[in-house]
Amino acid sequence: FPNPSRILLLGGPNMGKSTLIKNLIIHQRPRFDQVFVVHLDAGVTKDYDDLEPTAMLDDVPPLAFWSNLPDRDEEGHRIKRCVVVDDLEMTHAKKEREKNMGILFRYASSHKNMTIYMAHQSFFDIPSLIKKMANVFVVWRPRARNELALIENRVGLPTGELTHLFDEVATKARDSLTIDCTMDTPAPLRLNVWNKVEI
């Protein structure tokens, strides 16, 4: 995916969201110069140690944090960044967290050359602004069928299309479907991120 992108990974627990995020980061070319990870257990989890993150954060920082990041390195090259937001609680989130998420998706992504990977278990619980700003959705089959209908509506797919694709194409327990809304994308629909799907 081009940088910057705003990528939502939506699926139940133990579906491989974090592993996929790490694979996407590792396969990014050119590589990211900086990787920030936002995780509630930032001081404990070892899930992202192999990425050697620039910083492990236990919450989404405010505007000042991103504003103070330099745009270019000492040689004058634009710094390429990514932020991983891994299963952060949003249902009962404080207003401050929701505000900072909005800043991250609206300001930091575009102004600080930053791709965002947000893993979450439910499309329902993600704030509307974040869903509007996302350009890539990686979806595992949810338990609630109306969740697929909401995703279809958000990404412009016909009603029932995702249900059909999960019934006919993404049939394995851990299969995912990727909807890439990036302008001029060569593959708007993909199976398990890497395989193009034709409607």
Side-chain angles (χ1 to χ4, degrees):
F1 302 111
N3 187 67
S5 286
R6 290 154 299 280
I7 302 165
L8 298 184
L9 298 96
L10 307 163
N14 301 315
M15 296 306 289
K17 299 186 295 294
S18 299
T19 300
L20 178 56
I21 288 171
K22 290 198 287 186
N23 273 299
L24 289 169
I25 291 171
I26 289 166
H27 282 86
Q28 181 77 23
R29 295 294 184 274
R31 291 190 181 275
F32 292 110
D33 300 306
Q34 296 179 337
V35 177
F36 298 89
V37 177
V38 180
H39 195 290
L40 288 176
D41 289 328
V44 178
T45 185
K46 303 294 183 192
D47 288 354
Y48 292 94
D49 284 2
D50 49 351
L51 293 180
E52 299 179 358
T54 307
M56 292 290 296
L57 310 164
D58 60 10
D59 211 336
V60 184
L63 174 62
F65 179 89
W66 307 117
S67 296
N68 289 327
L69 295 175
D71 293 328
R72 299 187 179 274
D73 62 21
E74 294 175 357
E75 297 170 0
H77 301 113
R78 191 149 190 227
I79 298 171
K80 183 178 180 179
R81 300 180 169 99
C82 86
V83 177
V84 177
V85 181
D86 194 343
D87 271 336
L88 200 63
E89 169 58 40
M90 295 305 300
T91 312
H92 302 291
K94 295 178 184 176
K95 289 291 181 189
E96 191 68 19
R97 177 179 291 168
E98 196 166 324
K99 173 186 169 187
N100 290 341
M101 284 292 291
I103 290 168
L104 175 63
F105 272 75
R106 279 190 303 186
Y107 166 78
S109 179
S110 57
H111 289 80
K112 293 298 178 178
N113 199 31
M114 186 177 291
T115 287
I116 303 166
Y117 298 96
M118 181 178 180
H120 207 278
Q121 294 185 18
S122 172
F123 184 77
F124 295 121
D125 298 334
I126 296 174
S128 180
L129 173 65
I130 293 170
K131 291 185 269 199
K132 288 177 183 174
M133 296 300 297
N135 63 298
V136 177
F137 298 78
V138 182
V139 182
W140 284 261
R141 186 193 286 268
R143 290 181 185 158
R145 285 205 165 207
N146 61 335
E147 189 168 348
L148 288 179
L150 290 171
I151 296 169
E152 288 167 345
N153 182 58
R154 170 63 60 203
V155 301
L157 285 175
T159 302
E161 189 64 41
L162 285 178
T163 299
H164 168 74
L165 289 169
F166 275 113
D167 288 342
E168 300 295 329
V169 178
T171 56
K172 296 177 184 173
R174 293 179 187 269
D175 278 350
S176 66
L177 292 169
T178 299
I179 306 108
D180 185 354
C181 302
T182 309
M183 188 178 294
D184 299 323
T185 178
L189 277 173
R190 309 174 193 188
L191 172 66
N192 301 322
V193 176
W194 316 108
N195 304 305
K196 186 175 180 179
V197 173
E198 299 286 357
I199 296 182

